Amino acid sequence: MNSKYEVVIGLEIHAQLLTKSKAFSGDRAEYGNHPNTNVSVVSLAHPGTLPRHNKNAVEKAIKIGLAFNCQIERYNKYSRKNYFYADLPKGYQITQFDTPICKGGFVKIKLKNGTSKKIRLTRAHMEEDTGKSIHDIEPQNSLIDYNRAGTPLIEIVTEPDIRTGEEAFQFLTEVRKILRYLDVCDGNMEEGSLRCDCNISVRPIGSSEFGTKVEVKNMNSMSNVKRAIEFETERQITAIEKGEKIAAETRSFDALKNLTFSLRSKEMVNDYRYFPEPDLPPLIVSDEMIKQIAKQMPQLPEQLYEKFLNNYNLGSYDASVLTETKEIAAFFESICKTCSNYKAAANWTMVHIKGYLNENALEFDDFKLSPEKISNLINLIDEGKISNSAAQKVFAELINHPNDTSEIIAQRLNLIQTSDTTELEKLIETALNKYPQKINEYKSGKTGLLGLFMGEVMKLSGGKADPKIASKLIKDKLEK
Amino acid sequence: MNYPKGFNNFSQKVKSGEISCCALAEFYLSNIEKNKHLNAFLEVYADEAIQQAKKLDKKIENCEKTGRLAGMFVGLKDNICYKNHHVSASSKILEGFESLYSATVVERLLAEDAIIIGRLNCDEFAMGASNENSAYGAVLNYFDNTKVSGGSSGGAAVAVQANLCTASLGSDTGGSVRQPAAFTGNFGIKPTYGRISRYGLLSYASSFDQIGPITSTIEDMALLLEIISGNDEFDATCTQKPVEKYSEINKIDRKLKIAYLDNYINSNGVQPEVKEKTYQIIENLKNKGHKVEAANFELLDYLVPCYYVLTTAEASSNLSRYSGLLYGYRSKNSIDLESTFKKSRSEGFGDEVKRRIMSGTFVLSSDYYDAYYSKAQKVRRVIQNRTKELFADYDYILNPTTPTTAFEIGGKTNDPIAMYLADIFTVQAPLAGNPALSIPCGVDNNGMPIGIQVMTDLFNEKHLINFAKYLCEEIIK
């Protein structure tokens, strides 16, 4: 990137709220149903139908506001945004205009260099989603699925605080993580339950005025957001360098070609004729309601991260991996209830369990073993009953027999470590007899050969020998 | 066989079996047939009415419990939804459209065994004061067929006037129930905003619209109002306040404080007989010992402009759903999405509806929002506050319902502004949200009915009904 310029980026995020019913009707709000089945006279805007409040959507919006440190609006008016389009049955969208439910607030992101940065939010408001136009099924016609029409959305708008595609990526990651922690949005960009539009402009470093803003849409993954910003930055700088003027326009991102292209100019702006929605009285949010919701707030990733560092003495890498999702954090914490070896609990969660889940494309919710089973397994290791490598065999077997205990499986697989010294001494004798030459070398100072003898002993014991005891006995024997 | 007007005059005989529902059905259906030229009904549910009547008669014969409206035949203004029946708001844009659900008020009528006899002509989307804006033509006044029915609930008023049904439901946004009720010699109410669910009423101006009955007696008014009022989870603007027993009409046993707005009655264009009748009622009330005073409503000149700015704004948005896309009329000349919207709406809506959509779009446009919509909202608040102040001092406010009696058909069609100004006395109540009732109080020199309007405090319908009965029995002579 040309170092003479600074990029200024603001994001608009639309998140579908996970409610059972739609924002202003009793219709089901679900993804993936057969087209035009989650509809009713209300969501299809039949004559005489009226919207009604969905208290659940409001509560979820307040949760988001609390998580993002926003001020919560007490007097929530709804407004109508008027325009004609095929996916908008009423000819207007119910939204919030001058009284967004969340004002201000910020999201802290971690940068690659280890520092963190606050991205300020302008507002977050409630509104309803539109239906979905589908242009690529029939050559002559557009098809419309109204299942989505009326699904509750929260639109989060940032201040122009973002400077790079990487920061936008980190911001989206953090927002999605928090939305998922709150259980208010499933955050699936591919399915469109989380959508992001970018406003991008560039200006010479040091300039206090903003350059001409270009809006980029249709980026259906976080990495596409990053790529689109990077492309758009280069495009705008190159144009400015050539002395061209940046057009105020809306552009779309083409992920295959990795470029943005113009959709429409912003010179002819739509007049949406916003006015207060007369069918919905203002919704008053009481202090009591906010208090109740605050009580139900889960621990957020940032709080957990601090807790994992301080209470469980984990390193920052472990703490951040273990707070990536609410589920992994909860699993780790559950193990720690019955296991005081936090480091081992962290390793098992991050490495073995997560590895197993990744390999099998499963989620923590699908994991069959209870945290207690894992804690038992760790305790077996710590008690010296099985070795680390044996524990992995037990783990694999445990998954197939989730009702058994680790100890029973270890016995069944004959993995309980031998600490019986007479038995061990016999094995050591056999092992050493195989390498008379090496014994001499060891005695003349090549103590590194201990590993060779240990390996042999472990092999003979079938992995059951307690390595600590075995190594002590071998040393004793050789150094006699 | 002839049956009297007023459900209260024969409902007991229906319950006792002395009058059969089938006989009533035949009576009304033959009246409708005889008076087809009035153009009151857009559709008559003759077969259904007879079927329902038979069922009810059987119930009565078997001494089964029947609802409070058994034997009442109700007509619905063509902007109130009735499941599996057409509803068109007298507009070409909804020609052939069948509602998939019933309005809450209809559900409540049916639950009390009322029989819905048909749907009634009105001004297109309830926009008008003469019923001449209907895509299906004007409704004729039964007393003089050269005169208008009033509007927009013209069919609903004339149907009751000509005894084509027992009562009807209309809707009132700026006077659309009260004005035609006055023109036809009926009772018509605009209840307090939020008293009756609007679910299933095709919206014209959401913050004004209220459904209201048109009846030939105050007793019928009280009963219907009691049955259709009350909270509804499908309308967020509907109040949770409990419904009082309007039908148990109480005697007036105290001296009342009543105001009349002198500058209303003496404003230009008030017909002499209307003025005379109003002052006569005022005198009679004074003679009974009530305190009746002239009050001044200095905001009179702002009422109609404020009303039209706000109602057209809301209408421009409310009518966006009629786009030719999901239901109703779609232009055959459309070739793509944009022309579907443009042509369907241009061809489907009538002139008055288009005029109001354009006015409303204008007052909401970003360059004029502050000058018109926003200012009108402020004026509405001032009107609300001033009206509230009046009811701190007075129990009721009396005015003529309309400046004149029913005018000639075609008399004002070329002058929309003159037509708008005819709303002058009726728009204060919906602007402020207050209930107002039009009561028939006599006729002019040509025998055309005159209505007196009583407005009262918010949610004071119970006392309003009591007072109306008192007026009818002891004051209006």
Side-chain angles (χ1 to χ4, degrees):
Chain A
M1 197 184 98
N2 193 316
S3 59
K4 284 193 315 207
Y5 295 95
E6 180 184 42
V7 195
V8 177
I9 302 159
L11 302 182
E12 284 171 22
I13 297 170
H14 286 90
Q16 281 184 355
L17 297 178
L18 281 172
T19 53
K20 284 205 182 77
S21 54
K22 291 188 178 176
F24 303 108
S25 72
D27 301 7
R28 262 186 310 161
E30 266 173 33
Y31 181 81
N33 290 99
H34 202 69
N36 296 311
T37 52
N38 292 350
V39 292
S40 69
V41 288
V42 181
S43 55
L44 293 179
H46 272 223
T49 55
L50 298 169
R52 48 183 173 148
H53 292 294
N54 180 337
K55 208 175 147 226
N56 198 240
V58 177
E59 285 168 359
K60 291 198 153 80
I62 294 173
K63 265 189 179 174
I64 292 170
L66 294 176
F68 291 149
N69 318 290
C70 309
Q71 231 183 301
I72 307 295
E73 173 66 52
R74 300 300 204 272
Y75 185 80
N76 279 274
K77 275 193 294 179
Y78 291 90
S79 289
R80 289 187 186 176
K81 179 182 179 179
N82 294 282
Y83 65 97
F84 287 99
Y85 197 64
D87 59 19
L88 192 67
K90 295 191 292 296
Y92 56 84
Q93 179 195 32
I94 304 178
T95 179
Q96 289 193 301
F97 185 58
D98 47 1
T99 60
I101 188 155
C102 309
K103 267 187 245 162
F106 61 87
V107 176
K108 237 198 228 159
I109 59 169
K110 289 195 193 82
L111 301 179
K112 271 192 174 152
N113 64 11
T115 61
S116 64
K117 177 174 175 178
K118 261 186 194 179
I119 307 296
R120 290 168 302 151
L121 304 181
T122 312
R123 58 186 280 168
H125 65 257
M126 298 180 284
E127 60 185 27
E128 56 177 341
D129 213 340
T130 60
K132 212 169 165 182
S133 300
I134 302 153
H135 305 292
D136 54 1
I137 294 183
E138 287 193 14
Q140 297 298 321
N141 298 312
S142 288
L143 304 178
I144 311 164
D145 179 4
Y146 290 105
N147 281 354
R148 202 179 71 178
T151 300
L153 290 179
I154 188 134
E155 180 178 333
I156 303 166
V157 183
T158 75
E159 291 285 301
D161 285 353
I162 296 170
R163 292 289 172 270
T164 64
E166 174 61 26
E167 282 182 20
F169 183 88
Q170 289 305 331
F171 175 79
L172 278 172
T173 307
E174 199 58 31
V175 166
R176 179 168 74 175
K177 191 199 287 182
I178 292 171
L179 293 176
R180 284 176 171 171
Y181 260 81
L182 296 173
D183 209 12
V184 294
C185 172
D186 65 17
N188 191 325
M189 286 191 76
E190 286 75 20
E191 286 179 2
S193 62
L194 188 70
R195 305 193 283 274
C196 174
D197 300 335
C198 301
N199 286 305
I200 308 166
S201 64
V202 297
R203 62 179 172 189
I205 283 180
S207 164
S208 59
E209 273 169 40
F210 291 118
T212 305
K213 200 163 71 176
V214 172
E215 186 179 6
V216 183
K217 288 179 174 293
N218 298 331
M219 298 154 292
N220 64 350
S221 75
M222 295 199 293
S223 55
N224 282 350
V225 171
K226 188 178 165 199
R227 287 163 65 204
I229 290 172
E230 283 163 0
F231 173 85
E232 191 55 26
T233 305
E234 282 304 321
R235 187 190 71 84
Q236 290 187 23
I237 290 172
T238 309
I240 292 169
E241 287 282 292
K242 277 196 222 157
E244 291 167 15
K245 245 186 113 185
I246 302 295
E249 60 183 353
T250 303
R251 298 175 73 88
S252 181
F253 181 64
D254 183 329
L256 288 176
K257 296 186 185 146
N258 196 27
L259 52 79
T260 67
F261 59 93
S262 181
L263 276 181
R264 56 184 171 265
S265 167
K266 285 210 170 186
E267 301 298 322
M268 276 287 293
V269 284
N270 229 329
D271 186 349
Y272 291 119
R273 292 171 284 123
Y274 284 98
F275 76 104
E277 162 61 287
D279 287 330
L280 285 172
L283 190 116
I284 312 296
V285 173
S286 64
D287 291 349
E288 186 51 35
M289 187 172 172
I290 295 176
K291 242 188 246 163
Q292 282 301 321
I293 293 167
K295 261 192 227 160
Q296 299 159 17
M297 289 286 281
Q299 293 192 79
L300 293 174
E302 206 189 324
Q303 294 165 296
L304 284 172
Y305 177 86
E306 293 296 322
K307 184 174 168 190
F308 289 2
L309 289 187
N310 301 326
N311 298 11
Y312 297 115
N313 299 315
L314 299 183
S316 66
Y317 173 78
D318 289 3
S320 61
V321 173
L322 287 173
T323 51
E324 263 169 17
T325 67
K326 185 170 60 176
E327 291 73 22
I328 192 170
F331 199 90
F332 165 70
E333 284 212 280
S334 298
I335 299 175
C336 293
K337 276 186 201 154
T338 48
C339 170
S340 51
N341 188 346
Y342 304 137
K343 178 64 192 161
N347 278 340
W348 273 92
T349 312
M350 287 159 49
V351 181
H352 304 302
I353 301 174
K354 201 162 168 256
Y356 162 79
L357 294 174
N358 285 347
E359 267 168 41
N360 294 284
L362 296 173
E363 302 288 336
F364 265 88
D365 289 343
D366 308 318
F367 190 52
K368 279 184 247 131
L369 299 182
S370 66
E372 294 74 45
K373 290 264 149 117
I374 303 300
S375 127
N376 284 341
L377 190 58
I378 295 170
N379 292 339
L380 279 186
I381 304 167
D382 290 347
E383 287 161 13
K385 288 191 178 152
I386 56 172
S387 68
N388 250 317
S389 59
Q392 287 173 51
K393 288 182 195 160
V394 174
F395 175 68
E397 190 65 12
L398 202 52
I399 287 169
N400 295 326
H401 303 279
N403 293 328
D404 291 346
T405 65
S406 301
E407 195 147 15
I408 285 171
I409 289 175
Q411 274 163 2
R412 192 158 74 218
L413 297 180
N414 213 8
L415 291 172
I416 300 288
Q417 287 181 144
T418 319
S419 47
D420 179 347
T421 50
T422 49
E423 181 82 6
L424 256 179
E425 273 166 0
K426 272 187 214 156
L427 294 176
I428 289 167
E429 191 100 22
T430 319
L432 294 180
N433 287 342
K434 277 178 99 173
Y435 304 103
Q437 185 58 38
K438 301 284 181 201
I439 294 171
N440 290 331
E441 283 175 30
Y442 179 92
K443 284 185 174 165
S444 59
K446 273 183 103 176
T447 51
L449 284 166
L450 181 66
L452 174 81
F453 303 129
M454 270 297 287
E456 195 58 34
V457 172
M458 293 311 279
K459 206 155 83 187
L460 289 170
S461 73
K464 289 190 300 175
D466 184 323
K468 271 186 231 147
I469 298 170
S471 107
K472 189 175 176 290
L473 288 173
I474 296 170
K475 271 192 212 161
D476 288 352
K477 195 132 195 147
L478 291 171
E479 284 156 25
K480 211 164 22 184
Chain B
M1 182 69 198
N2 244 336
Y3 294 101
K5 283 188 178 181
F7 185 59
N8 58 305
N9 293 321
F10 63 82
S11 61
Q12 278 315 313
K13 289 181 181 166
V14 173
K15 288 225 184 263
S16 67
E18 198 178 320
I19 297 176
S20 79
C21 295
C22 284
L24 282 166
E26 273 169 40
F27 167 72
Y28 289 125
L29 291 171
S30 77
N31 270 1
I32 292 170
E33 192 56 36
K34 271 184 264 171
N35 290 288
K36 264 188 154 167
H37 64 286
L38 297 176
N39 201 21
F41 277 88
L42 293 180
E43 195 181 351
V44 182
Y45 311 136
D47 293 342
E48 283 176 54
I50 291 165
Q51 288 309 314
Q52 290 303 314
K54 278 183 184 163
K55 266 193 209 161
L56 268 177
D57 283 340
K58 191 144 280 168
K59 265 190 174 178
I60 291 163
E61 212 179 291
N62 295 339
C63 297
E64 285 173 49
K65 196 174 157 26
T66 53
R68 298 170 76 194
L69 298 181
M72 184 184 269
F73 290 73
V74 181
L76 297 176
K77 184 178 181 179
D78 188 34
N79 62 353
I80 298 172
C81 294
Y82 181 19
K83 192 174 176 172
N84 300 331
H85 291 76
H86 289 126
V87 62
S88 79
S90 292
S91 178
K92 196 180 154 189
I93 209 157
L94 277 175
E95 200 169 3
F97 176 76
E98 224 172 72
S99 182
L100 296 175
Y101 71 103
S102 287
T104 301
V105 289
V106 172
E107 298 278 7
R108 289 182 182 167
L109 291 180
L110 295 174
E112 291 293 348
D113 283 334
I115 291 173
I116 310 293
I117 193 165
R119 63 188 170 100
L120 297 159
N121 202 346
C122 59
D123 281 298
E124 184 178 2
F125 285 100
M127 296 174 184
S130 66
N131 216 114
E132 292 166 294
N133 296 330
S134 165
Y136 303 98
V139 176
L140 314 187
N141 197 302
Y142 180 60
F143 292 159
D144 177 349
N145 290 175
T146 68
K147 298 269 164 63
V148 299
S149 58
S152 65
S153 312
V158 167
V160 179
Q161 182 190 29
N163 214 5
L164 312 183
C165 56
T166 327
S168 61
L169 293 188
S171 69
D172 192 313
T173 305
S176 279
V177 162
R178 289 161 289 151
Q179 187 254 26
F183 280 9
T184 55
N186 288 310
F187 293 84
I189 194 169
K190 199 268 334 161
T192 308
Y193 184 77
R195 181 68 289 179
I196 296 176
S197 168
R198 293 183 295 118
Y199 188 70
L201 169 69
L202 273 58
S203 293
Y204 156 21
S206 305
S207 72
F208 293 76
D209 297 343
Q210 274 292 290
I211 290 169
I214 294 177
T215 63
S216 55
T217 64
I218 188 66
E219 288 81 4
D220 288 8
M221 174 60 72
L223 180 63
L224 274 175
L225 193 64
E226 183 178 313
I227 285 166
I228 64 176
S229 290
N231 187 33
D232 180 17
E233 58 165 328
F234 291 101
D235 177 3
T237 64
C238 197
T239 182
Q240 299 202 13
K241 278 193 193 352
V243 179
E244 292 173 85
K245 293 221 173 302
Y246 306 136
S247 61
E248 290 170 11
I249 304 179
N250 305 115
K251 285 233 161 353
I252 299 288
D253 52 9
R254 66 181 178 99
K255 297 299 170 216
L256 302 165
K257 283 180 78 181
I258 299 158
Y260 59 95
L261 304 176
D262 224 12
N263 58 338
Y264 270 52
I265 305 170
N266 286 311
S267 61
N268 285 338
V270 176
Q271 200 177 317
E273 299 103 300
V274 172
K275 203 184 280 187
E276 205 177 288
K277 207 79 207 163
T278 310
Y279 280 121
Q280 191 194 320
I281 289 168
I282 290 166
E283 273 318 299
N284 293 351
L285 279 166
K286 280 182 183 166
N287 292 340
K288 290 273 183 188
H290 301 292
K291 194 172 165 195
V292 190
E293 296 175 345
N296 194 37
F297 193 73
E298 62 283 5
L299 302 165
L300 184 65
D301 290 343
Y302 299 99
L303 293 175
V304 172
C306 178
Y307 169 81
Y308 275 96
V309 169
L310 295 178
T311 54
T312 55
E314 292 184 18
S316 71
S317 175
N318 279 334
L319 270 60
S320 293
R321 63 185 60 196
Y322 308 108
S323 61
L325 205 68
L326 281 163
Y327 48 77
Y329 177 79
R330 180 186 290 184
S331 173
K332 299 210 169 36
N333 305 316
S334 56
I335 46 161
D336 55 14
L337 187 63
E338 195 174 318
S339 65
T340 301
F341 291 149
K342 284 188 176 164
K343 290 192 195 274
S344 303
R345 289 167 66 80
S346 298
E347 294 163 20
F349 287 133
D351 286 347
E352 182 59 29
V353 172
K354 280 188 239 179
R355 188 178 294 129
R356 294 197 196 189
I357 290 174
M358 286 191 283
S359 306
T361 305
F362 175 77
V363 299
L364 286 177
S365 64
S366 56
D367 289 345
Y368 297 97
Y369 185 90
D370 290 339
Y372 291 98
Y373 181 80
S374 193
K375 184 150 284 171
Q377 283 280 52
K378 284 177 198 147
V379 173
R380 188 180 195 184
R381 262 194 298 281
V382 173
I383 292 167
Q384 281 166 344
N385 292 338
R386 179 73 187 112
T387 305
K388 202 173 162 188
E389 279 170 21
L390 281 172
F391 288 114
D393 293 334
Y394 299 103
D395 298 306
Y396 303 103
I397 296 174
L398 275 184
N399 288 306
T401 308
T402 55
T404 67
T405 56
F407 45 86
E408 296 287 323
I409 292 175
K412 289 186 182 176
T413 37
N414 292 324
D415 189 353
I417 302 295
M419 193 78 96
Y420 292 175
L421 286 171
D423 296 340
I424 186 107
F425 299 150
T426 47
V427 292
Q428 187 187 350
L431 274 165
N434 293 63
L437 174 66
S438 180
I439 300 162
C441 65
V443 292
D444 69 3
N445 297 338
N446 296 315
M448 294 311 285
I450 298 170
I452 183 97
Q453 174 178 249
V454 186
M455 189 165 49
T456 188
D457 208 357
L458 299 167
F459 298 105
N460 197 31
E461 276 85 352
K462 169 82 177 137
H463 291 108
L464 180 60
I465 300 274
N466 294 344
F467 181 57
K469 172 133 177 158
Y470 170 76
L471 278 180
C472 293
E473 290 180 349
E474 300 190 38
I475 303 295
I476 298 166
K477 285 169 184 162

